[in-house]
């Protein structure tokens, strides 16, 4: 997602962490990062929260680039998202069964397995609602990348998530973070939303002018206007003539950003965007941003029970249990929607099937890697948020 410099991120988190918000001074070097009694079970120190959120920043900034690259190379978004969501769920299960099981189970802090059988369904449903929001947000951004571009999509969606999500979490966290530090940064993200929309509109007009000029040049030369192919195969030679004397039959790559480059990209990618309104991409990106702003507050509510909806005596969900249910609903929504999109594709994506999906191994390992990065990033963000407050943790979006 949005890449903050490590120094700026460190200063932001250290200024926002409340010294009285469950931070304890533990003398042992290793246990300074984790609860002494629970042995890595719960992050409680300022240093541990910063370390976890810095790692989350790396992981959450990696997976969107991988998925966008696969779409540009022609892999169907339905295939990619199914693979991606599978390893995302697998990551949450592994974290819950390892880190979530370390240490002795306690009445107010049960282990993952013990908590599965407790009567905690009100908070479980809220955690699952958060997974639904994130799954819809990620699915939306996967299509928005084709229309708006990776960089602008991430600026718009992440900025909306920070502006609205941080505000909600600030009040849910009982204002433990310093508002005079937190909200000027939120204001910068709000400005980024506006600037990103303006840049996208400008880029769309520029691309339209390039394509129009390219078409006019063909007309002037009495040549046919280029046709955007819906097939995966394109002509391999620009001039159609091979230089036999020099043995040069290789096509020169078009200049980045030129009309030829835009046409080549359109022919190769799986989601065709030529002729679509700029508002299609912006609408998808804004919808994804709204979904993003809700998943973190939902997870906050699930783990801290600010609405007091759990029965008396039932412990709050630990972060690992909440993350498991969160990822389970994420996968369920991703599976249902993308299987539907295989047979009823949207935005002119090619039609596919379960059989074709299972046979498509081109780029599958990259999609698996993206799901692993997303799962680790979300898990680290939530674990750090328990110590630093979820308002501060939203900065890694």
């Amino acid at each position: 997602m949005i890449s903050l410099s490590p120094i700026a991120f460190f200063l932001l988190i250290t200024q926002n962490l409340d010294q009285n918000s469950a931070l304890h001074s533990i003398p042992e070097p290793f246990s300074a990062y984790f609860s002494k009694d629970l042995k890595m079970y719960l992050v409680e120190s300022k240093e541990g929260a910063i370390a976890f959120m810095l790692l989350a920043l790396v992981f959450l900034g990696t997976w969107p680039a991988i998925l966008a690259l696969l779409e540009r190379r022609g892999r169907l978004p339905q295939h990619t998202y199914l693979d991606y969501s599978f390893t995302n769920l697998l990551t949450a299960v592994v974290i819950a069964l390892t880190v979530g099981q370390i240490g002795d189970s306690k009445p107010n802090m049960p282990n993952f397995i013990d908590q599965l059988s407790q009567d905690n369904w009100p908070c479980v449903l809220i955690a699952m609602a958060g997974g639904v929001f994130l799954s819809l947000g990620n699915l939306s951004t996967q299509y928005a990348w084709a229309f708006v571009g990776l960089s602008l999509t991430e600026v718009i969606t992440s900025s909306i998530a920070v502006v609205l999500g941080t505000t909600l979490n600030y009040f849910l966290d009982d204002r433990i973070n310093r508002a005079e530090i937190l909200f000027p940064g939120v204001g910068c993200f709000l400005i980024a939303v506006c600037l990103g929309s303006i840049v996208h509109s400008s880029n769309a007009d520029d691309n339209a002018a390039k394509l129009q000029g390219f078409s006019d040049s063909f007309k002037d030369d009495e040549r046919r206007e280029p046709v955007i192919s819906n097939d995966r195969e394109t002509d391999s030679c620009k001039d159609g003539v091979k230089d036999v004397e020099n043995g040069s039959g290789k096509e020169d790559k078009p200049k980045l950003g030129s009309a030829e480059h835009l046409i080549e990209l359109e022919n190769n990618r799986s989601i065709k965007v030529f002729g679509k309104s700029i508002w299609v991409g912006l609408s998808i990106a804004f919808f994804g941003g709204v979904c993003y702003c809700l998943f973190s507050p939902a997870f906050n509510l699930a783990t801290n029970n600010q609405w007091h909806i759990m029965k008396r005596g039932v412990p709050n969900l630990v972060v690992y249990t909440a993350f498991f249910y969160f990822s389970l609903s994420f996968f369920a929504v991703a599976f249902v929607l993308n299987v539907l999109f295989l047979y009823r594709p949207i935005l002119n994506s090619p039609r596919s099937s379960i059989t074709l999906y299972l046979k498509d191994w081109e780029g599958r390992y990259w999609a698996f890697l993206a799901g692993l990065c997303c799962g680790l990033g979300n898990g680290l963000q939530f674990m750090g948020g328990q110590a630093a407050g979820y308002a501060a943790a939203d900065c890694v979006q």
Side-chain angles (χ1 to χ4, degrees):
M1 298 242 170
I2 292 177
S3 297
L4 299 176
S5 69
I7 295 177
F9 181 79
F10 179 85
L11 292 175
L12 178 62
I13 297 301
T14 53
Q15 289 295 327
N16 277 287
L17 283 171
D18 191 315
Q19 295 180 351
N20 296 320
S21 60
L23 304 179
H24 304 285
S25 176
I26 303 175
E28 290 81 354
F30 188 77
S31 61
Y33 294 91
F34 304 97
S35 172
K36 180 177 180 181
D37 296 331
L38 295 175
K39 301 177 182 178
M40 293 180 61
Y41 182 77
L42 183 65
V43 181
E44 291 186 337
S45 74
K46 178 172 64 176
E47 293 81 4
I50 292 173
F52 272 48
M53 286 188 282
L54 282 174
L55 286 174
L57 189 68
V58 174
F59 287 123
L60 294 178
T62 300
W63 72 263
I66 297 175
L67 294 194
L69 177 63
L70 291 176
E71 187 277 324
R72 287 192 167 210
R73 290 183 175 180
R75 192 165 199 255
L76 296 185
Q78 305 97 308
H79 294 186
T80 298
Y81 205 85
L82 285 169
D83 294 335
Y84 153 85
S85 60
F86 172 75
T87 49
N88 182 77
L89 173 62
L90 182 61
T91 302
V93 173
V94 171
I95 290 175
L97 291 176
T98 53
V99 184
Q101 283 296 114
I102 294 176
D104 297 330
S105 184
K106 297 184 177 181
N108 62 336
M109 193 68 65
N111 285 342
F112 167 67
I113 296 296
D114 294 336
Q115 198 158 46
L116 292 179
S117 60
Q118 294 177 349
D119 187 12
N120 46 29
W121 280 105
C123 285
V124 165
L125 294 177
I126 294 178
M128 296 182 75
V132 172
F133 288 132
L134 182 61
S135 187
L136 292 176
N138 287 353
L139 185 60
S140 300
T141 56
Q142 186 184 29
Y143 287 92
W145 293 329
F147 291 88
V148 185
L150 175 62
S151 57
L152 286 181
T153 299
E154 294 308 305
V155 167
I156 292 172
T157 56
S158 299
S159 297
I160 294 174
V162 171
V163 171
L164 299 179
T166 298
T167 302
L168 292 173
N169 278 320
Y170 174 74
F171 291 102
L172 288 174
D173 288 338
D174 200 21
R175 307 181 185 184
I176 64 172
N177 300 118
R178 296 175 59 183
E180 66 274 16
I181 299 289
L182 189 67
F183 285 104
V186 171
C188 292
F189 281 100
L190 181 60
I191 295 173
V193 175
C194 301
L195 293 179
S197 302
I198 295 172
V199 170
H200 173 58
S201 178
S202 175
N203 287 346
D205 293 339
D206 184 50
N207 290 342
K210 290 177 182 178
L211 294 172
Q212 183 61 42
F214 187 73
S215 176
D216 291 343
S217 68
F218 269 81
K219 292 180 181 179
D220 293 340
D221 295 338
E222 297 182 350
R223 297 180 66 177
R224 186 178 55 171
E225 182 179 299
V227 177
I228 306 304
S229 172
N230 288 323
D231 300 327
R232 302 300 173 96
E233 298 180 359
T234 59
D235 292 337
S236 61
C237 187
K238 180 179 178 181
D239 296 326
V241 177
K242 181 178 179 180
D243 189 344
V244 179
E245 181 178 354
N246 297 323
S248 175
K250 185 178 179 180
E251 178 189 5
D252 292 334
K253 286 188 176 181
K255 183 179 179 182
L256 188 65
S258 65
E260 293 89 343
H261 175 261
L262 295 175
I263 292 172
E264 181 183 64
L265 176 61
E266 180 76 359
N267 285 333
N268 291 334
R269 74 186 324 156
S270 59
I271 303 174
K272 308 302 181 182
V273 299
F274 277 8
K276 303 291 195 307
S277 170
I278 64 171
W279 295 108
V280 174
L282 285 178
S283 299
I284 297 174
F286 273 93
F287 175 77
V290 172
C291 292
Y292 279 157
C293 79
L294 296 174
F295 83 86
S296 180
F299 196 92
N300 191 352
L301 283 168
T303 54
N304 293 314
N305 192 27
Q306 290 92 336
W307 288 350
H308 306 290
I309 55 178
M310 298 273 275
K311 291 182 179 179
R312 186 183 295 258
V314 178
N316 292 343
L317 290 181
V318 296
V319 65
Y320 309 105
T321 307
F323 186 43
F324 167 75
Y325 285 114
F326 176 93
S327 300
L328 186 64
S329 64
F330 179 102
F331 176 79
V333 171
F335 181 82
V336 171
L337 289 181
N338 282 280
V339 169
L340 176 63
F341 292 161
L342 289 176
Y343 298 94
R344 296 180 179 273
I346 60 175
L347 299 175
N348 295 329
S349 297
R351 186 184 178 94
S352 184
S353 65
I354 293 291
T355 302
L356 292 176
Y357 161 68
L358 295 175
K359 293 180 178 179
D360 180 17
W361 284 90
E362 186 71 26
R364 171 158 288 166
Y365 292 112
W366 284 108
F368 285 159
L369 177 61
L372 175 64
C373 289
C374 183
L376 288 174
N378 288 331
L380 292 169
Q381 177 188 351
F382 294 145
M383 292 162 69
Q386 280 294 96
Y390 286 96
D394 277 342
C395 295
V396 305
Q397 290 301 315

